[in-house]
Amino acid sequence: MRIPFKRLNLDNISRNFYDKGKEFPALSGLSVEIKRGEFIILLGPSGCGKTTALNCVAGIYQLSGGRILLDDVRIDELPPEKRGFGMVFQNFALFPHMTVAANVGFGLAMRRTPKAEIREKVRKVLKLVQLSDKENKPIGQLSGGQQQRVAIARAIVIEPPLVLMDEPLSNLDAGLRLQMRSEIRRIHDELAQSTIYVTHDQDEALSMADRIVVMDKGKPLQIGPPQEVYTSPANMTVARFMGYRTVFEMDLNAVNGDLASLSGRDLTLRAKIMQPIEGGKALVAIRPEDFRIGAAAVNTIEAQVIKVEYCGYSSQADLQTTAGNIIHMRTHEPLEENAHVKVNVIPERALAYPA
């Protein structure tokens, strides 16, 4: 399948909703260029505007502002069927009374594609999603993962310039979600297509995306590769969402290059400055896996273990300092509740933001 598509531009797109006569923004000022072959993930908590953005691209919602351009041609005024995008829904939206082949070929049939051509395209796409032996099976006889593959096959068989996926794995169990992550990415890579994928799951986003768009309250907060978003969150909101669970309120004492010296109650830390800190007050964010047990030359914290959760390969522990600061830590080393321990974090892994 060859898709004549170079780039899609979302140019400052916005969408407002109305409730009881009042207008409020659900999406505000999203701008991103998506190149052919890119896998873009819209990431954020429920209600952040990511599904609204996807529906605007699909044409289900009209824009309140901005433009959508496909290869420099404006398409935001076109109805969904004229855009020709493939879409995979959260609940699969398959026809239970039809066979696998009939479900996959439905979009082609609606386009009045010749039957012989439908059969050939359905055969090829079922081979791609590894369901060739299920062609004549009723949908009800398939597992959840197999139904998800049928939904993907139906979306891509029309050879769309773009595939849109709205939390497609949220209804699957944990093991199947892991399997389907790699399957979706494999199919994407084999077709060299572009994909916009919506999720609230950070692990999904980090493992699948070429670039992540982190959203909150209808606005994009950071756009970048997974490693950049994970290691260098643009602000505290992104940091909290990306798993920086331990947050200390501290006073800024001195700055040396990109490192700050801070103090607060029973803490003295050095941390990497992520944004200019004015007014002398800062928030220091640290991921659970960046804490280490034991003392170090800098950033050593004394605390008491107040809770330990066994997670198999590692344990999740909550610690409390004498001044009441809570530390959330993930470790492979054994910890016992009520024990007094020393933990540390290297300065580059403690991120300082303005309070």
Side-chain angles (χ1 to χ4, degrees), residues 30-47:
L30 174 59
S31 293
V32 59
E33 180 180 290
I34 301 163
K35 297 180 177 65
R36 180 176 175 179
E38 268 200 300
F39 198 113
I40 300 293
I41 287 190
L42 306 183
L43 174 68
S46 297

Side-chain angles (χ1 to χ4, degrees), residues 137-204:
K137 288 275 190 180
I139 289 297
Q141 293 183 16
L142 302 186
S143 67
Q146 290 170 336
Q147 290 186 31
Q148 184 59 274
R149 294 185 192 198
V150 174
I152 294 169
R154 185 178 60 183
I156 64 178
V157 74
I158 60 173
E159 301 182 19
L162 181 71
V163 175
L164 309 173
M165 297 190 177
D166 188 10
E167 304 225 32
L169 307 184
S170 60
N171 291 327
L172 303 180
D173 62 59
L176 199 50
R177 283 202 303 270
L178 288 173
Q179 178 185 343
M180 286 306 301
R181 276 187 210 169
S182 58
E183 283 298 303
I184 289 173
R185 184 68 213 212
R186 176 186 65 80
I187 293 166
H188 166 91
D189 291 340
E190 285 196 27
L191 294 179
Q193 65 188 17
S194 298
T195 301
I196 302 179
Y197 185 107
V198 163
T199 184
H200 63 273
D201 188 310
Q202 299 96 322
D203 289 339
E204 263 181 42

Side-chain angles (χ1 to χ4, degrees), residues 95-166:
F95 300 111
H97 62 287
M98 292 184 180
T99 64
V100 168
N103 267 277
V104 173
F106 182 79
L108 294 171
M110 291 297 98
R111 289 167 171 77
R112 301 186 183 279
T113 305
K115 290 183 178 180
E117 185 178 342
I118 292 176
R119 285 195 297 271
E120 180 61 17
K121 287 188 173 183
V122 168
R123 183 188 65 79
K124 287 182 178 179
V125 81
L126 286 178
K127 182 178 180 181
L128 180 66
V129 299
Q130 300 177 356
L131 286 176
S132 295
D133 59 335
K134 308 294 183 184
E135 183 175 0
N136 297 313
K137 288 275 190 180
I139 289 297
Q141 293 183 16
L142 302 186
S143 67
Q146 290 170 336
Q147 290 186 31
Q148 184 59 274
R149 294 185 192 198
V150 174
I152 294 169
R154 185 178 60 183
I156 64 178
V157 74
I158 60 173
E159 301 182 19
L162 181 71
V163 175
L164 309 173
M165 297 190 177
D166 188 10

